Amino acid sequence: MREYSIPAMVDVPATASLADVVFTRASQDPNAVVMRKPGPAGRWEDVTAGQFRDDVTALAKGLVAAGIEPGDRVALMSRTRYEWTLADYAIWAAGAITVPIYETSSAEQVEWILSDSGARAAFAETAAHADLIRSVSALDHVWVINDPDGLALGGADAVTDEQLEQRRAARTAADLATIIYTSGTTGRPKGCEITHVNLLSDARNAVEGALTEVFEIAGSSTLLFLPLAHSFARIIQVGCLESGAILGHWPDTGSVAKALPEFRPTFLLSVPRVFEKVYNTAQQQASASGAKNRIFQAAVTTAVAWSQSQEPGAATAGPALRLRHALFDRLVYAKLRAAVGGQVRYAVSGGAPLGERLGHFFRGAGIVILEGYGLTETSAAGTVNRPSRNKIGTVGLPLPGCAIKIADDGEILLQGPNVFPGYWHNKEATAEALDSDGWLHSGDIGSLDEEGFLRVTGRKKELIVTAAGKNVAPAVLEDRLRASPLISQCLVVGDGRPFIACLITLDPEGLEFWRQQHGRAADADPRDDPELVAEIQRAVDEANKAVSRAESIRSFRILASDFTEANGYLTPSLKVRRNVVIADYADDIAAIYATRP
């Protein structure tokens, strides 16, 4: 199949805007809980629809009083927290445009985003963020969220409800809502123009079409811990407000494990790396004891078999499998579910391939992970698996209203109301991305099966061509390698070379656990340890099972340090900056090929 589309379930009126839901929900049921925010002693405080409307109204009036005009750009630099969502909706209510900035961005990146977007003002989470913003720009206003009165903008009392209503009513679905700068693995970030209709059509067709069971079950809630500066988390924010699902915020992934049992969400949004860490942690804890390890491995095998028995056309689980599954549900799966709050039924995964092994394991353990696919340019979501139609190993069907087409060279093309109008102040890049028929050229390679499910195999620009002319998609190998508890990041190389090789970094937690288990000193260089190298070789051998011999990794090199966002080797959305790694580790790559003729 070369093209597949699904009719829209929801059409967005031309007069709609994102801020409307705040006031509509408050008028319909002011006491309904729309959010929860962290309170003292680990308790979560409810925020009602009426309270949220009042908070948005006060802040939006402050923006108007400060001179923010319709269409003005207001930057927002903060971690994921209640105030991020509050500021976002207040900016929209005032008729302005939100420009998110990752709180980890460098001074050069902040300067570029502020200058390119023409932002007039900014919200900064901390004084340090504010100082950084002031050091690279001369904005009219910089408001600090963490200041005691940081969001109590002066002059708000002078703006009437009628004036604010006029601002909000004047915005249309076609107007810009936000400019999201792609983190980018190469070059300067480009500003994606995202309209109100882009986000609303994406969210409403997901909520009322593709993911109804996720968003609209009784008591539906999620704890958002991915950066709201990224479109993936942003669309979930909009989806929760539009659907009535309760939204919570947590500032980082590193400590979210302690918050989940307290918040008890019914669904999660995450990237594959987080699911890999959950699985690897459980595996490491089990491996501390021979008996526990045997139980865990049997539980994994049973979960995968149970999940596979749920596939269309598969043989129904027999009595023996049902008995084993019930046993391991008490011994293993229930503890895993308890670790994420005990109520999670679904998780939505994006940003990178999850892998069939993890997909089957988690479904067999009682948490259905729904993989999706999209870009910032598609307002986040383009495709997603459904609870009722979940084909593990694919990224699902198009969202209602969207179409997918596979070009002759294998590139994935997307079309629909969620596709952005273009890049801010960059006609050349827009012309490259959008063709005359409105198809967005994703830069990804994939295929559609006979039912319209999309499978993504890699990036077009990342395709490796060996000296023998063999085309190799590195993502297939890299995704399987990262399944190892010892491996944090990896990068497959081999363009123009005689064979495929790989740079590998070690996971700090996985390495520490391995050292304890094997009695190694903390200061010993693991790269010189034959046992550890053999463990990595086994992971490489396992990854190679997914490809032909010509595509397989023949050699690898373990690097001394990890790829992180802090050292510039990962984007904020945790993608490896391939060109930077290849340039900085050119000597390591050359050494691989020097020792292997």
Side-chain angles (χ1 to χ4, degrees):
M1 183 177 291
R2 306 296 296 184
E3 185 175 339
Y4 191 78
S5 62
I6 295 178
M9 297 281 290
V10 181
D11 291 317
V12 176
T15 56
S17 76
L18 286 153
D20 294 345
V21 70
V22 176
F23 300 88
T24 301
R25 292 193 63 190
S27 65
Q28 292 174 343
D29 189 354
N31 296 318
V33 177
V34 295
M35 293 184 217
R36 294 193 184 105
K37 54 184 180 180
R43 292 190 297 270
W44 289 82
E45 299 176 350
D46 291 345
V47 178
T48 66
Q51 289 172 320
F52 186 56
R53 175 203 55 201
D54 293 345
D55 286 351
V56 168
T57 297
L59 188 53
K61 286 181 176 181
L63 289 170
V64 174
I68 298 301
E69 298 290 340
D72 279 350
R73 276 76 64 202
V74 179
L76 178 48
M77 186 178 187
S78 170
R79 296 177 301 169
T80 295
R81 54 189 292 172
Y82 169 74
E83 291 81 3
W84 207 110
T85 298
L86 167 60
D88 202 18
Y89 277 87
I91 291 167
W92 289 333
I97 298 167
T98 306
V99 181
I101 301 177
Y102 287 101
E103 52 94 16
T104 54
S105 296
S106 67
E108 182 179 336
Q109 290 169 329
V110 174
E111 181 179 23
W112 166 250
I113 292 171
L114 293 174
S115 62
D116 187 64
S117 67
R120 285 193 57 199
F123 288 99
E125 181 176 19
T126 66
H129 292 143
D131 290 343
L132 172 57
I133 289 170
R134 293 188 183 105
S135 71
V136 299
S137 64
L139 302 183
D140 295 347
H141 305 280
V142 180
W143 298 291
V144 182
I145 293 171
N146 277 353
D147 281 357
D149 298 318
L151 296 185
L153 278 55
D157 292 342
V159 180
T160 66
D161 290 343
E162 291 73 22
Q163 288 174 305
L164 185 62
E165 173 61 21
Q166 288 174 1
R167 281 288 189 97
R168 181 168 63 88
R171 306 307 285 170
T172 69
D175 287 327
L176 285 188
T178 185
I179 303 172
I180 303 177
Y181 282 80
T182 57
S183 53
T185 55
T186 61
R188 271 182 161 171
K190 299 189 292 287
C192 294
E193 301 174 340
I194 306 297
T195 65
H196 289 266
V197 72
N198 288 153
L199 286 169
L200 286 172
S201 63
D202 214 37
R204 290 178 181 177
N205 278 289
V207 167
E208 298 187 31
L211 300 175
T212 303
E213 300 97 318
V214 176
F215 280 96
E216 296 193 341
I217 61 171
S220 179
S221 66
T222 191
L223 183 62
L224 202 58
F225 52 86
L226 296 180
L228 273 163
H230 192 269
S231 60
F232 188 26
R234 192 81 162 287
I235 198 64
I236 296 296
Q237 168 192 272
V238 174
C240 286
L241 266 294
E242 292 288 326
S243 68
I246 297 171
L247 177 64
H249 303 77
W250 195 255
D252 68 276
T253 58
S255 62
V256 72
K258 71 177 184 181
L260 289 169
E262 299 162 356
F263 189 88
R264 304 189 72 205
T266 63
F267 72 95
L268 292 175
L269 170 78
S270 193
V271 292
R273 187 59 182 154
V274 173
F275 297 117
E276 289 167 358
K277 294 286 282 186
V278 170
Y279 175 86
N280 290 339
T281 299
Q283 184 182 45
Q284 288 167 356
Q285 290 173 347
S287 65
S289 161
K292 287 184 178 179
N293 188 46
R294 286 191 295 274
I295 291 172
F296 182 79
Q297 295 306 323
V300 171
T301 301
T302 299
V304 171
W306 179 266
S307 174
Q308 290 172 338
S309 73
Q310 313 301 309
E311 293 284 280
T316 305
L321 178 56
R322 290 199 299 271
L323 185 62
R324 291 199 306 274
H325 188 265
L327 173 64
F328 290 127
D329 191 70
R330 294 194 299 273
L331 295 177
V332 178
Y333 312 146
K335 294 177 182 178
L336 182 68
R337 295 193 299 270
V340 293
Q343 294 195 117
V344 172
R345 293 177 56 189
Y346 299 106
V348 181
S349 177
L354 176 70
E356 293 188 32
R357 177 187 62 90
L358 279 181
H360 281 302
F361 168 73
F362 277 100
R363 183 165 73 175
I367 298 175
V368 178
I369 299 180
L370 305 168
E371 278 196 89
Y373 165 76
L375 303 89
T376 305
E377 291 85 346
T378 61
S379 312
T383 71
V384 70
N385 276 288
R386 280 67 162 159
S388 58
R389 295 190 70 189
N390 181 23
K391 187 175 283 190
I392 291 175
T394 77
V395 291
L397 298 163
L399 280 180
C402 301
I404 303 291
K405 182 164 66 173
I406 305 299
D408 291 341
D409 62 356
E411 185 176 12
I412 301 167
L413 310 183
L414 304 100
Q415 189 183 70
N418 59 329
V419 173
F420 80 146
Y423 295 107
W424 179 258
H425 292 166
N426 198 333
K427 292 182 179 180
E428 183 179 345
T430 300
E432 290 178 2
L434 292 170
D435 64 26
S436 57
D437 295 322
W439 287 98
L440 172 69
H441 292 243
S442 69
D444 292 315
I445 299 170
S447 61
L448 287 168
D449 69 14
E450 67 283 353
E451 296 180 273
F453 285 82
L454 178 66
R455 191 178 295 270
V456 182
T457 55
R459 290 287 295 169
K460 189 175 178 180
K461 291 182 180 179
E462 293 175 0
L463 197 67
I464 292 170
V465 183
T466 66
K470 182 65 178 178
N471 289 347
V472 179
V476 177
L477 292 160
E478 291 167 353
D479 295 335
R480 290 178 72 102
L481 277 172
R482 283 192 292 266
S484 166
L486 274 171
I487 295 175
S488 174
Q489 298 293 338
C490 52
L491 187 138
V492 170
V493 297
D495 204 42
R497 302 283 193 170
F499 57 85
I500 296 297
C502 189
L503 301 177
I504 291 173
T505 72
L506 299 176
D507 182 89
E509 293 176 10
L511 177 59
E512 175 60 26
F513 184 83
W514 188 89
R515 280 172 166 157
Q516 292 175 5
Q517 292 297 104
H518 292 78
R520 302 297 197 268
D523 58 352
D525 190 339
R527 296 174 297 171
D528 297 329
D529 193 307
E531 278 193 67
L532 185 136
V533 173
E535 288 273 5
I536 300 299
Q537 182 64 61
R538 281 191 283 273
V540 169
D541 293 341
E542 186 63 30
N544 283 340
K545 292 178 182 178
V547 299
S548 68
R549 176 164 173 76
E551 299 169 280
S552 64
I553 298 169
R554 307 287 183 84
S555 184
F556 62 87
R557 193 172 185 87
I558 302 172
L559 303 181
S561 58
D562 199 2
F563 302 155
T564 66
E565 187 183 349
N567 61 26
Y569 294 128
L570 293 183
T571 70
S573 55
L574 305 183
K575 295 182 177 69
V576 176
R577 298 185 190 273
R578 304 186 75 89
N579 62 321
V580 178
V581 173
I582 289 171
D584 288 0
Y585 287 94
D587 291 344
D588 291 272
I589 295 171
I592 292 174
Y593 292 99
T595 56
R596 286 286 302 268

